[in-house]
Amino acid sequence: MNAKDRPTGGQGSTLTEPLTFPPLGRAAAHLGLFVLGAVVGVAGGLLQAAWFPGGLLLALLGAAGLFLGGARATGGRAGAVAPAVGWMISVVLLTSTRPEGDFLFGAGAGSYLFLLGGMAVAVMCATLGRGRQPTGHDARLGK
């Protein structure tokens, strides 16, 4: 069986390729998106608590814009996952209590809607993010 007879169009599976580190620019972009996700998580947590119905929607829209924008800017789903992980870590750290008994999120409907809604938005944006399409004359997915 030669390369033209394979069902993949002559290209091997990406699972059989050796793992390599991403280029420095892509790694820096994902690290920046991670930090930006953490900042949006903290800002959204403060905003949703200060101005309940409007602040919650604005915080979730800001998170959705960051997640989907990261996916579009980097051209892959990892661009949505990096800020989503930063957002999730910052929000989970804000919900935990301190030894003094202080916490930032109260046990209210807005806090739970922000937490669960943000997770749902992150999953949707990571799913909607464009995956890599094969290039070349044999690839027909981009047409």
Side-chain angles (χ1 to χ4, degrees):
M1 179 187 278
N2 61 17
K4 295 287 184 183
D5 293 336
R6 280 195 253 157
T8 59
Q11 299 173 355
S13 172
T14 56
L15 295 175
T16 60
E17 295 177 5
L19 292 176
T20 59
F21 288 108
L24 186 60
R26 183 174 292 271
H30 288 146
L31 181 64
L33 286 169
F34 175 81
V35 171
L36 196 57
V39 169
V40 167
V42 171
L46 295 174
L47 184 65
Q48 66 87 20
W51 183 41
F52 174 61
L56 176 65
L57 292 175
L58 189 61
L60 290 176
L61 283 175
L66 175 64
F67 302 154
L68 196 57
R72 301 279 180 185
T74 59
R77 291 186 178 113
V81 173
V85 170
W87 182 90
M88 183 65 65
I89 289 173
S90 68
V91 170
V92 167
L93 287 177
L94 290 175
T95 59
S96 63
T97 59
R98 295 180 31 178
E100 297 88 16
D102 299 336
F103 54 89
L104 190 61
F105 282 178
S111 299
Y112 290 121
L113 285 174
F114 178 65
L115 182 64
L116 297 175
M119 285 189 275
V121 164
V123 168
M124 285 187 282
C125 290
T127 304
L128 290 175
R130 294 182 299 169
R132 294 187 195 175
Q133 291 189 354
T135 58
H137 65 283
D138 289 338
R140 297 185 48 88
L141 293 177
K143 295 182 183 180

